[in-house]
């Protein structure tokens, strides 16, 4: 995946060109162009890889107009981590600072970019599914499952951030406004997500970590089951146990290696980047730092004091790997492109601090172990399930090796939420955890009061981008309060 974009760059630029206004529908100008391109199995595979390319997104180095950048997951920390009690922007200037202060409006360019990026993934997936018969018969099921996994991945992000959104599962024309702009109830979107992921579980194997796999589909489906309006705790527990019993994954003994030994035993699904390469790198790593080294960015994901308090009490060996303090600034350490050697020469970034190569870790084994505990708790408040306790103890033993084995007799929902906070900090999980555990309003109200922000429950959903509403001529409606 790190080098594969070169194989499909021209292909995706040609096949997936969007109209200037209808960026929700990145289709070629004519079906003739697509028919002319998709002529072989190799062509279809290139199109499948192009879906991952959309998730990867465009590095800001190559962007001339941020309003049409489609930066994939590279803005996700703003829409998730910054809206929790974990982190904030270092400054109060610009649209990126709106997230941590709960003042995002419908014209926010980063939210607009993320919304468009996820639909870029969806429409690329639909486009491949429309031409799947061109592929070799032996590969059609796998390519279909990959496309559906990625479509489900994007829709799962959208439905949790924006609620009801347009549900498009086939190629449509730019004038089909009803399909493109009718908001569909969450329940129907979850039904489609589940169906797509179940097919992926049935078809895929575990050959890849940087492409869809059976385990990544199982893990994502487990989280969907825990999140959907009527949770399926039994189904989630069974999926987590299937991953655990497969023997294909394990916790890295050294927490540092999770982030700096890429595609390690703990990684289930990662979106890959390449350091020093403007076309293959990402800029979110540099955006997390402000004091570590000259040439970095203005400081996003600055660590809040209340998270530091939890790290002191519960972080153990994870603490020094997760954040660092430089010149009085508490900053994310998990994604330093050059590890912890901030004086490394030559700089792995190359001449530009935004050319970082750290992978975006989408799903890792520790998350599965903690979801296993969550599923065992179910609608209750605690669990003493033996299997769940083993899963929890594995996480604790790595964090506190000096006292291992850390014998645990029960785990409460609150203990699990804190454990997820310190284990998965800065990995864009906290926002979704607060929603899933039903405590977002309570936690964020207290956090806003502590920080002097103005918060109300409308902030639990992001506004539908105004540009989309304008394109739809009002067919697309706005979320309450915006």
């Amino acid at each position: 995946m790190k080098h594969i974009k070169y194989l499909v760059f021209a292909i995706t630029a040609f096949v997936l060109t969007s109209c200037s206004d209808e960026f929700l529908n990145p289709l070629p100008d004519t079906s003739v162009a697509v028919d002319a391109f998709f002529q072989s199995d190799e062509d279809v595979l290139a199109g499948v890889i192009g879906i991952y390319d959309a998730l990867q997104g465009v590095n800001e180095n190559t962007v001339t107009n941020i309003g049409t950048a489609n930066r994939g997951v590279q803005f996700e920390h703003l829409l998730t981590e910054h809206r929790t009690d974990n982190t904030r922007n270092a400054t109060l200037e610009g649209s990126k600072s709106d997230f941590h202060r709960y003042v995002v409006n419908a014209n926010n360019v980063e939210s607009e970019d993320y919304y468009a990026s996820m639909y870029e993934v969806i429409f690329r997936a639909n486009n491949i599914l429309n031409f799947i018969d061109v592929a070799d018969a032996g590969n059609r099921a796998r390519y279909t499952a990959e496309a559906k996994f990625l479509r489900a991945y994007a829709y799962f992000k959208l439905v949790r951030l924006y609620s009801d959104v347009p549900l498009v599962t086939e190629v449509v024309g730019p004038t089909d406004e009803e399909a493109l702009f009718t908001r569909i109830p969450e329940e129907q979107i979850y039904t489609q997500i589940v169906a797509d992921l179940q097919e992926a579980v049935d078809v895929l194997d575990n050959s890849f970590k940087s492409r869809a796999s059976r385990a990544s589909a199982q893990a994502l489906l487990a989280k969907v089951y825990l999140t959907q309006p009527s949770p399926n705790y039994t189904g989630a527990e069974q999926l987590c146990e299937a991953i655990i019993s497969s023997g294909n994954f394990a916790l890295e003994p050294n927490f540092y290696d999770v982030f700096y030994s890429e595609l390690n035993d703990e990684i289930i699904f990662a979106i890959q980047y390449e350091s020093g390469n403007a076309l293959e790198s990402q800029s979110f790593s540099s955006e997390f730092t402000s004091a570590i080294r000259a040439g970095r960015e203005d400081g996003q994901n600055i660590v809040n004091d209340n998270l530091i308090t939890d790290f002191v009490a519960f972080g153990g060996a994870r603490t020094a790997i997760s954040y660092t303090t430089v010149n009085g600034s508490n900053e994310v350490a998990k994604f330093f492109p050059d590890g912890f050697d901030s004086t490394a020469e030559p700089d792995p970034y190359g001449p530009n601090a935004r050319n970082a190569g750290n992978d975006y870790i989408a799903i890792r084994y520790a998350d599965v172990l903690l979801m296993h505990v969550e599923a065992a708790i179910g609608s209750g408040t605690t669990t003493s399930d033996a299997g769940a306790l083993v899963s929890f103890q594995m996480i604790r033993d790595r964090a506190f090796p000096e006292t291992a084995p850390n014998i645990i007799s029960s785990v409460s929902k609150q203990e699990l939420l804190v454990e997820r906070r310190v284990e998965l900090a800065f990995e864009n999980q906290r926002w979704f955890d607060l929603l899933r555990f039903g405590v977002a309003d309570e936690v964020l109200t207290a956090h806003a009061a502590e920080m002097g922000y103005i918060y109300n429950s409308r902030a639990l959903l992001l506004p539908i981008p105004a540009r989309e509403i304008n394109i739809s001529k009002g067919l697309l409606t706005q979320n309450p309060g915006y």
Side-chain angles (χ1 to χ4, degrees), residues 247-430:
N248 292 321
F249 306 95
L251 295 181
E252 285 292 309
N254 187 334
F255 195 63
Y256 177 92
D257 291 336
V258 176
F259 308 97
Y260 296 106
S261 176
E262 294 184 338
L263 302 186
N264 56 74
D265 288 344
E266 191 163 334
I267 302 303
I268 294 177
F269 178 50
I271 299 165
Q272 290 203 282
Y273 298 91
E274 183 180 4
S275 182
N277 183 331
L279 294 177
E280 289 284 350
S281 55
Q282 46 86 352
S283 65
F284 65 77
S285 290
S286 67
E287 290 165 347
F288 292 173
T289 61
S290 62
I292 291 172
R293 189 171 182 164
R296 300 297 190 253
E297 300 301 317
D298 62 0
Q300 296 166 35
N301 263 353
I302 300 300
V303 186
N304 287 329
D305 289 344
N306 60 60
L307 174 55
I308 293 175
T309 298
D310 274 354
F311 267 121
V312 170
F314 306 107
R318 297 170 291 202
T319 301
I321 311 301
S322 299
Y323 79 93
T324 189
T325 304
V326 179
N327 299 331
S329 178
N330 297 314
E331 302 186 348
V332 173
K334 279 183 175 179
F335 301 101
F336 286 168
D338 43 5
F340 284 89
D341 185 0
S342 62
T343 63
E345 295 293 350
D347 188 340
Y349 278 131
N352 192 313
R354 292 175 173 173
N355 289 337
N358 310 65
D359 291 350
Y360 174 100
I361 300 174
I363 305 171
R364 62 183 175 95
Y365 188 56
D367 192 1
V368 171
L369 293 175
L370 293 174
M371 282 196 292
H372 185 216
V373 181
E374 184 179 344
I377 293 174
S379 59
T381 57
T382 62
T383 184
S384 298
D385 175 81
L389 296 182
V390 169
S391 293
F392 195 80
Q393 184 177 325
M394 290 172 65
I395 301 291
R396 279 282 177 87
D397 284 352
R398 179 172 67 178
F400 296 94
E402 69 280 2
T403 59
N406 296 281
I407 305 303
I408 299 161
S409 59
S410 67
V411 180
S412 71
K413 201 168 185 178
Q414 178 58 33
E415 288 172 329
L416 176 60
L417 185 61
V418 173
E419 197 69 26
R420 288 188 60 85
R421 188 185 195 192
V422 293
E423 174 69 29
L424 301 166
F426 323 124
E427 297 177 53
N428 304 337
Q429 297 290 338
R430 176 70 169 172

Side-chain angles (χ1 to χ4, degrees), residues 136-154:
D136 293 346
N139 291 329
R140 290 171 193 164
R142 173 170 182 86
Y143 295 163
T144 297
E146 279 195 82
K148 289 186 176 182
F149 169 86
L150 293 166
R151 183 172 69 184
Y153 184 91

Side-chain angles (χ1 to χ4, degrees), residues 18-25 68 174 181 467-468 470-472:
S18 63
C19 301
S20 59
D21 289 332
E22 287 81 22
F23 64 82
L24 262 189
N25 192 38
T68 58
F181 300 116
R467 181 180 178 184
E468 288 300 314
N470 292 338
I471 292 171
S472 77

